[in-house]
Amino acid sequence: MTAMLRKLLTALNVLLLFGLVLVPSLQIVMRTIGFPFIGAEELTRFLLICLVFTGFPLVVAHGENIVMGELKAALPTAARRAIDLLISATAIAATVFVAYVTVRTAMQYMTNATPTLKIPFWLFMSATFVGFAGAALVHIRHLRHPPQRDTNIAL
């Protein structure tokens, strides 16, 4: 993942996190003064979904996804390389499949929207697509340049 794209995704996730904190806080304040924030729960769910899925490529790029590092570190170098290849190939297949299914589902329900705020369904699905397609690209990059992690970190 390029530095520019990583910064852009990080900034987007910071904004989504800010919104995720701001919306429920605003709802509490507005309810206290007698003006309820209609649709706050729906907007909060939307922001949470977007935050989780758009943050997924960043997790993969930093090598923070689950790969059983301790078990791999105990294996011989050849076995570790084979398992790294298997993990990358499986991750690529899974993320590409989910990205594909996401696009197909979004196209099928293009006119649907959420009940209160009328947020288009495809907007929810676009965050899922960005997350899984981005993760697939990072996994493809990891085939050539696996992330290097120090397995001897003291806790």
Side-chain angles (χ1 to χ4, degrees), residues 62-120:
H62 287 358
E64 296 296 332
N65 47 330
I66 300 171
V67 293
M68 296 188 193
E70 293 80 14
L71 178 64
K72 283 187 351 181
L75 295 172
T77 305
R80 195 173 329 130
R81 284 187 186 141
I83 287 179
D84 281 338
L85 182 63
L86 179 65
I87 289 170
S88 289
T90 305
I92 290 166
T95 53
V96 166
F97 176 73
V98 173
Y100 170 74
V101 169
T102 300
V103 169
R104 291 286 310 256
T105 303
M107 294 299 178
Q108 188 175 3
Y109 298 104
M110 197 65 139
T111 58
N112 288 10
T114 60
T116 306
L117 296 177
K118 304 294 184 220
I119 300 170

Side-chain angles (χ1 to χ4, degrees), residues 4-5 9 13 16 18 32 36 40 43 45 58 61 72 75 82-84 86 94 110 118 123 125 130 139 147:
M4 178 75 158
L5 187 56
L9 265 179
N13 278 282
L16 288 169
F18 178 73
T32 305
L43 184 56
R45 276 191 303 273
L58 295 171
K72 283 187 351 181
L75 295 172
I83 287 179
D84 281 338
L86 179 65
M110 197 65 139
K118 304 294 184 220
L123 199 53
M125 300 305 283
V130 166
H139 281 300

Side-chain angles (χ1 to χ4, degrees), residues 9 12-13 15-21 23-24 40-57 59 98 102 114-115 119-132:
L9 265 179
L12 174 64
N13 278 282
L15 285 174
L16 288 169
L17 186 58
F18 178 73
L20 193 58
V21 172
V23 170
E41 297 87 2
E42 192 174 289
L43 184 56
T44 302
R45 276 191 303 273
F46 172 70
L47 292 170
L48 181 60
I49 289 168
C50 289
L51 177 67
V52 167
F53 286 122
T54 58
F56 182 43
V59 171
V98 173
T102 300
T114 60
I119 300 170
F121 184 66
W122 63 265
L123 199 53
F124 277 95
M125 300 305 283
S126 66
T128 308
F129 175 76
V130 166
F132 279 92

